[in-house]
Amino acid sequence: MNKKILITGGAGFIGSHVIRLFVNKYKDYKIYNLDALTYAGNLENLKDIEDSPNYTFIKGDITDENFIHSIFEEYEFENVIHLAAESHVDRSIKDPLAFVKTNVLGTMNLLNAFKLCWKDNFEGKRFYHISTDEVYGTLGETGLFTEKTSYDPNSPYSASKASSDHFVRAYGETYNLPYVISNCSNNYGPNQFPEKLIPLFINNIINNKPLPVYGDGNYTRDWLYVIDHAVAIDLIFHQGINTETYNIGGFNEWKNIDLVRLLCQQMDVKLGKEKGSSERLITFVKDRPGHDLRYAIDASKVNKKLGWKPSVTFEEGLSKTIDWYLENNDWLNSVTSGEYQSYYLKQYS
Ligand code: NAD
Ligand code: TYD
């Protein structure tokens, strides 16, 4: 395996944990973090490793074709771990085209630049595309998504991710481009932007604001602690087999309303509030259009083939996550000022 790795979206939630893991663990690798620093990207997430000699930050947009080709010419990245994306379903409902641009065209630019750079010699090279379980659509009350489940995306976000997955596969079939793909369930943990369920609700409880549960709250997600996802990405990057897909999940299904109640209970204890006071903030609001009922991953392949399994229980991971947000109030305040306020009003008023 060659060691010059381009990681895209490294200033975001999952990307920052992947960058930290690789920079600290593989001192002889050169890690390049390409990120446009959208509302979701934040270099504060990487403060502790930014001066490491094996780490370089490149500010840039994956939708800029010329720029992407120029950095491949300059640095000759041997491997790509591609996480940069527009990642929030609610935003995709309001502005689907932004998702096509970054998630589909951006991925195409990376594939084309990688192909042009290495067309005569893909030996030891790899394009690792990070995707989501949402490409499989929705499950009913039973069953699990396996690597063989047909794609059936329902939101503009999941349709754009499905499209990018298909292009990665097509480049493998057509041009022998060496790739792996992983499809992961919902992540939670430190540094997640407070537009997603868990950090949004933590922030609202801190500020004594309503907790907007969509519909009846009986929607199910399979939650995974973000550092466990980063560990799975490390294993798949190094040991995964080209052209294969790996599903990653937490073996950890929760109905939204049950998760929110657990979160409220933990928050009451940590904030020294009267038992039940956070739960009183729960407010049932208009449902998300096209809301997928249930996601649940069969992660037995990555478990059996690569020996991966989650390292923390949900109760432990959630507790660590709340502690991180309570200890990093400045981070939370800085990302919820400015643009966030108008986003929040538009989404929840
Ligand atoms: P995020 O929104 O927190 O971060 C995305 C990062 O990409 C940000 O740093 C942003 O600045 C950057 N970015 C966005 N558009 C860009 C562009 N045009 N050019 C360059 N950089 C750009 O997302 P996340 O939750 O960390 O997700 C990372 C990846 O993992 C995504 O591909 C997502 O689809 C996938 N994924 C996420 C989850 C989850 O629960 N969050 C689950 C499964 C898969
Ligand atoms: P989210 O964190 O946006 O992830 P995804 O849509 O990718 O699964 O949402 C998780 C679940 O929580 C989903 O069923 C939608 C629900 N939800 C709410 O009920 N209220 C909210 O304010 C948000 C953001 C999500």
Side-chain angles (χ1 to χ4, degrees):
M1 183 72 69
N2 292 305
K3 307 291 193 298
K4 216 188 256 189
I5 309 175
L6 175 67
I7 300 184
T8 69
F13 167 48
I14 302 171
S16 60
H17 290 281
V18 174
I19 296 260
R20 178 174 298 101
L21 177 69
F22 274 68
V23 165
N24 288 334
K25 185 168 172 187
Y26 301 109
K27 303 283 184 207
D28 55 334
Y29 290 13
K30 288 200 170 78
I31 306 297
Y32 297 85
N33 172 15
L34 170 65
D35 199 297
L37 301 182
T38 68
Y39 77 93
N42 189 345
L43 288 178
E44 283 297 314
N45 297 348
L46 293 164
K47 266 268 166 267
D48 55 320
I49 58 95
E50 68 182 4
D51 294 327
S52 305
N54 58 343
Y55 171 74
T56 306
F57 174 66
I58 304 169
K59 184 171 186 309
D61 192 326
I62 59 169
T63 66
D64 182 343
E65 185 181 356
N66 291 335
F67 171 74
I68 295 301
H69 280 276
S70 75
I71 60 168
F72 268 87
E73 246 170 56
E74 183 177 348
Y75 296 104
E76 298 188 320
F77 308 112
E78 290 141 337
N79 298 280
V80 176
I81 305 179
H82 175 34
L83 295 111
E86 287 293 339
S87 67
H88 189 41
V89 173
D90 291 329
R91 288 187 193 250
S92 83
I93 294 167
K94 295 233 155 46
D95 184 9
L97 202 54
F99 284 67
V100 176
K101 285 182 186 151
T102 288
N103 299 358
V104 186
L105 293 178
T107 302
M108 290 295 291
N109 287 336
L110 290 165
L111 286 168
N112 284 333
F114 184 80
K115 168 171 157 287
L116 190 69
C117 193
W118 300 115
K119 60 182 173 302
D120 295 324
N121 179 17
F122 280 133
E123 188 66 39
K125 317 292 189 306
R126 169 161 279 180
F127 191 103
Y128 180 2
H129 181 60
I130 306 296
S131 192
T132 165
D133 61 353
E134 302 191 28
V135 298
Y136 298 123
T138 188
L139 292 163
E141 295 294 340
T142 57
L144 297 171
F145 296 135
T146 74
E147 287 80 1
K148 297 208 161 38
T149 303
S150 301
Y151 277 32
D152 193 15
N154 291 318
S155 72
Y157 164 64
S158 54
S160 68
K161 290 296 292 186
S163 172
S164 63
D165 293 12
H166 288 319
F167 274 112
V168 173
R169 261 196 206 97
Y171 272 55
E173 286 296 315
T174 309
Y175 309 113
N176 291 320
L177 187 137
Y179 73 90
V180 282
I181 299 177
S182 57
N183 296 80
C184 188
S185 63
N186 286 60
N187 285 216
Y188 70 98
N191 304 98
Q192 187 169 32
F193 191 79
E195 61 187 353
K196 307 276 167 54
L197 179 72
I198 290 178
L200 186 133
F201 280 30
I202 292 174
N203 186 43
N204 284 13
I205 293 171
I206 293 171
N207 293 296
N208 218 23
K209 282 171 62 177
L211 305 177
V213 174
Y214 295 157
D216 59 6
N218 283 317
Y219 294 88
T220 300
R221 299 291 182 264
D222 174 353
W223 293 92
L224 178 67
Y225 192 56
V226 63
I227 293 169
D228 285 330
H229 187 188
V231 168
I233 289 173
D234 177 14
L235 277 172
I236 293 167
F237 176 72
H238 287 97
Q239 296 173 37
I241 294 172
N242 280 341
T243 77
E244 294 213 356
T245 285
Y246 297 84
N247 278 359
I248 310 168
F251 304 98
N252 179 43
E253 287 183 50
W254 285 80
K255 278 199 192 317
N256 292 341
I257 190 64
D258 297 334
L259 183 162
V260 170
R261 290 207 172 102
L262 175 67
L263 177 69
C264 287
Q265 285 156 19
Q266 290 201 359
M267 290 289 289
D268 281 351
V269 174
K270 287 178 195 288
L271 293 173
K273 284 169 52 170
E274 183 204 338
K275 199 172 169 204
S277 47
S278 298
E279 272 194 36
R280 284 197 283 279
L281 297 171
I282 293 175
T283 312
F284 292 93
V285 300
K286 191 165 164 270
D287 211 347
R288 173 188 278 174
H291 200 165
D292 285 331
L293 177 69
R294 178 170 164 260
Y295 305 144
I297 281 274
D298 176 354
S300 54
K301 176 175 172 181
V302 68
N303 173 250
K304 289 203 183 94
K305 302 269 185 205
L306 304 181
W308 174 89
K309 62 175 179 355
S311 70
V312 290
T313 65
F314 189 54
E315 284 77 0
E316 287 163 352
L318 192 61
S319 172
K320 284 186 197 210
T321 303
I322 298 169
D323 289 345
W324 186 86
Y325 282 94
L326 293 177
E327 283 156 18
N328 289 274
N329 216 14
D330 290 350
W331 185 94
L332 203 47
N333 288 337
S334 77
V335 303
T336 53
S337 60
E339 196 266 349
Y340 182 81
Q341 295 301 329
S342 50
Y343 163 76
Y344 199 91
L345 268 179
K346 258 191 242 146
Q347 182 63 28
Y348 295 102
S349 63

